[in-house]
Amino acid sequence: MSKPKSVWEEFFADKRSGGHRSSSEEFISREAREKLFHLDGGKTLLDFGCGAGELLVYYALEYERLVGTDFSASMLDEAGKRIRKRKSENIALILADDKTVWEKLDSSFDRITAAGVIQYLTDEEVDTFVYNSSRHLNKGGKIVLFDLLDPRLYPLWKIGFFSRDFGYWKIFRKIG
């Protein structure tokens, strides 16, 4: 087995769910509606870093053709299950990262989005991602980036430090 390229690849290597604040369908549905508002139309969408496809299946209701990409095979496996369960036949999945995705695409898009992903890239990688994205946009297309978190805060967020019902005892129980 080859060594992961980055700490994030190692972290997400066996993950099976996205990093949403809540995994309830009600929450994911609301989050998707909000993001769809900002995506504001188009017929084709590339969801870079689609993870387990939680948002992707909601986007599928609004777009004719979607491509979801992620570098985590386990996340794409979950996305595939979710897509089959929802019978979302307008979604294709690609195993790729920010460097390899562009050579695996055979078309351009009206919208390119990334939710909760960009913070894992260096400033130079973000610049390259935006440049490459712009080369894969249809005329009038948009790049929409969501949920830009400081990755140093991610562990605190994951254990509930920023939640409404924050409590030190809850965090200690979660850690322990």
Side-chain angles (χ1 to χ4, degrees):
M1 188 161 110
S2 64
K3 182 180 173 192
K5 296 177 190 174
S6 74
V7 66
W8 296 118
E9 285 182 274
E10 187 175 330
F11 179 80
F12 286 107
D14 61 351
K15 297 287 186 243
R16 300 217 166 260
S17 66
H20 303 279
R21 291 182 297 274
S22 170
S23 59
S24 76
E25 279 302 312
E26 179 185 354
F27 179 87
I28 301 291
S29 172
R30 278 195 325 254
E31 183 177 355
R33 281 194 308 271
E34 176 188 341
K35 286 175 170 49
L36 283 164
F37 172 81
H38 294 289
L39 286 166
D40 188 31
K43 294 182 180 186
T44 57
L45 175 101
L46 170 66
D47 185 3
F48 177 76
C50 70
E54 291 100 332
L55 296 171
L56 195 58
V57 293
Y58 286 98
Y59 297 163
L61 302 172
E62 302 294 326
Y63 288 88
E64 292 176 12
R65 185 178 60 81
L66 301 93
V67 174
T69 70
D70 205 281
F71 67 73
S72 170
S74 61
M75 292 287 252
L76 283 181
D77 182 51
E78 290 303 311
K81 290 176 189 174
R82 187 169 273 110
I83 289 165
R84 286 187 295 280
K85 182 179 178 184
R86 297 273 183 110
K87 298 181 173 123
S88 300
E89 296 179 10
N90 56 339
I91 303 173
L93 297 174
I94 297 175
L95 181 64
D97 62 19
D98 60 299
K99 292 161 194 64
T100 61
V101 65
W102 313 112
E103 63 198 36
K104 295 182 178 189
L105 298 174
D106 60 3
S107 65
S108 56
F109 300 89
D110 297 325
R111 301 291 183 268
I112 297 177
T113 188
V117 173
I118 296 301
Q119 68 268 14
Y120 300 114
L121 303 178
T122 66
D123 291 344
E124 184 178 300
E125 289 169 331
V126 171
D127 289 345
T128 302
F129 177 81
V130 171
Y131 172 77
N132 286 324
S133 292
S134 66
R135 294 178 59 223
H136 285 81
L137 280 178
N138 293 330
K139 185 175 182 169
K142 293 195 314 189
I143 301 167
V144 184
L145 307 176
F146 294 111
D147 309 326
L148 304 176
L149 306 171
D150 183 334
R152 296 169 298 183
L153 298 177
Y154 189 77
L156 294 175
W157 174 75
K158 207 57 179 159
I159 63 171
F161 188 77
F162 302 111
S163 69
R164 288 184 193 152
D165 61 343
F166 166 76
Y168 288 108
W169 288 115
K170 285 185 179 184
I171 289 176
F172 286 132
R173 283 193 302 262
K174 229 177 199 183
I175 293 170

